[in-house]
Amino acid sequence: LEILVTILNENDNIPVFKQTNLTQVVPEDTKVNATIIAREELSATDADQDTIFYELTTIVQGTEDYFAIKGLNNPEIYLRRALDYDKFKLTTLLLYARDRPVDSSDATNTATATINILIEQSDTKPPWFLPCTFINTDNNICISSPYTGRVNISEVSTEPLILEPGPIHAIDPDYTINERIVYSIVGGDTDKVFSVDADTGNLTMNKAATSPDGFLLQVMATQVNNIQKYSIASVEIKVINKSEHPPYFENKTYSGTVFVGLAAGSFVFQAGDPSSPLMITAVDDDFLDV
């Protein structure tokens, strides 16, 4: 008697990942649609030789739409949206491997792999002159106000010029990279009256200004490693007559009179003369004709 026995494969094995916990460093400037982790590193095996179905989820709020897999049966992870180091620096993905489709009514075995994604800051921003003001909610664009200063006509200052709102200074906003920045004057100084220190940004004078006309300098801050990463700031220098005398009040004491019940913004009158507003005046001997 010949008996043919067929052994049916029971679904009694769980899919197995090569690694159940892995970490991947992803540069911030990675191109959209680029592969983050290859299929070979993520594919699971099943001793039952079942077709594996994959699903990827994100457990860090706000990072859900950045990464995806190529398909139900292809666990290769790729980048869906451009990264921004200032928005998030890491996230955690969960990759599920099932031996039945998600909507299957059959008993399903599932394996899980945890994938930690670390975002590495890239050199994506030009220098920022400080102080500056952010103009968007993402805080990735910061605009500086012009610098201003003064020099005396026909006089050479031997010290770096004092500027408002502060000295010329720029930073690399890609702060974990912090590339070296150098400074140069690229406009507004045809007579070479001024120099800027390439390393410190200090503005000094080469010679005296002989005209009362001011200067509107253009100072450029450039990254040493990449001259295409630069910013330009305006520096307005006013040329004034030298001030040798401090201003002073004409009187040491002023006395005034106010009345009960006056509205805000009402005049204070001279003591003893309620018809004349109180006037406080100062003079400067550098301007005797004023």
Side-chain angles (χ1 to χ4, degrees):
L1 178 63
E2 182 177 314
I3 301 174
L4 180 62
V5 177
T6 300
I7 300 175
L8 300 178
N9 187 14
E10 184 179 351
N11 184 21
D12 56 353
N13 290 286
I14 298 175
V16 177
F17 284 107
K18 293 180 181 179
Q19 302 179 70
T20 58
N21 196 311
L22 60 108
T23 299
Q24 186 75 9
V25 177
V26 181
E28 179 187 13
D29 59 355
T30 300
K31 301 296 183 183
V32 173
N33 294 322
T35 295
I36 302 302
I37 305 178
R39 177 176 185 170
E40 293 73 21
E41 297 183 58
L42 297 171
S43 295
T45 57
D46 189 337
D48 297 318
Q49 298 183 349
D50 292 322
T51 299
I52 304 297
F53 298 87
Y54 298 95
E55 180 186 5
L56 186 70
T57 63
T58 306
I59 63 175
V60 178
Q61 187 175 4
T63 66
E64 297 88 348
D65 299 328
Y66 286 86
F67 303 94
I69 57 176
K70 287 293 183 71
L72 286 176
N73 305 119
N74 183 356
E76 178 180 313
I77 297 177
Y78 70 97
L79 183 64
R80 293 182 60 192
R81 292 177 56 188
L83 297 170
D84 186 342
Y85 185 82
D86 294 326
K87 288 186 176 180
F88 71 95
K89 299 170 179 56
L90 56 89
T91 188
T92 300
L93 311 176
L94 296 179
L95 180 63
Y96 299 97
R98 300 182 176 89
D99 55 14
R100 295 291 185 272
V102 175
D103 56 356
S104 175
S105 59
D106 297 333
T108 304
N109 296 310
T110 304
T112 305
T114 301
I115 303 161
N116 301 299
I117 302 291
L118 305 180
I119 310 302
E120 180 182 59
Q121 190 170 38
S122 300
D123 190 9
T124 60
K125 300 183 182 71
W128 289 348
F129 282 97
L130 298 181
C132 64
T133 303
F134 291 109
I135 64 172
N136 61 351
T137 56
D138 291 335
N139 291 345
N140 54 17
I141 299 177
C142 203
I143 302 299
S144 64
S145 300
Y147 296 95
T148 59
R150 299 183 299 176
V151 297
N152 296 322
I153 194 168
S154 302
E155 181 177 301
V156 178
S157 174
T158 59
E159 298 293 331
L161 301 186
I162 297 175
L163 303 176
E164 294 292 340
I168 296 173
H169 180 60
I171 61 168
D172 179 3
D174 301 308
Y175 53 88
T176 64
I177 301 174
N178 195 26
E179 288 292 348
R180 180 176 166 233
I181 293 173
V182 294
Y183 305 89
S184 59
I185 298 175
V186 295
D189 189 26
T190 55
D191 293 332
K192 306 299 181 184
V193 175
F194 302 96
S195 291
V196 65
D197 188 289
D199 294 316
T200 66
N202 285 336
L203 192 66
T204 56
M205 299 186 72
N206 300 320
K207 57 185 180 181
T210 58
S211 169
D213 297 333
F215 298 84
L216 186 60
L217 308 179
Q218 303 295 316
V219 176
M220 182 166 68
T222 309
Q223 289 186 194
V224 172
N225 71 321
N226 185 351
I227 61 174
Q228 294 182 344
K229 293 266 189 335
Y230 68 89
S231 293
I232 295 178
S234 296
V235 183
E236 182 183 6
I237 303 296
K238 297 179 180 179
V239 180
I240 62 173
N241 291 318
K242 184 177 180 179
S243 177
E244 296 179 343
H245 304 90
Y248 59 90
F249 290 104
E250 290 185 302
N251 298 320
K252 290 185 177 180
T253 304
Y254 292 85
S255 298
T257 299
V258 294
F259 300 98
V260 175
L262 286 178
S266 299
F267 283 118
V268 176
F269 294 95
Q270 294 185 26
D273 186 2
S275 63
S276 299
L278 177 64
M279 304 290 290
I280 299 175
T281 57
V283 294
D284 189 330
D285 290 340
D286 290 312
F287 305 94
L288 296 178
D289 57 340
V290 178

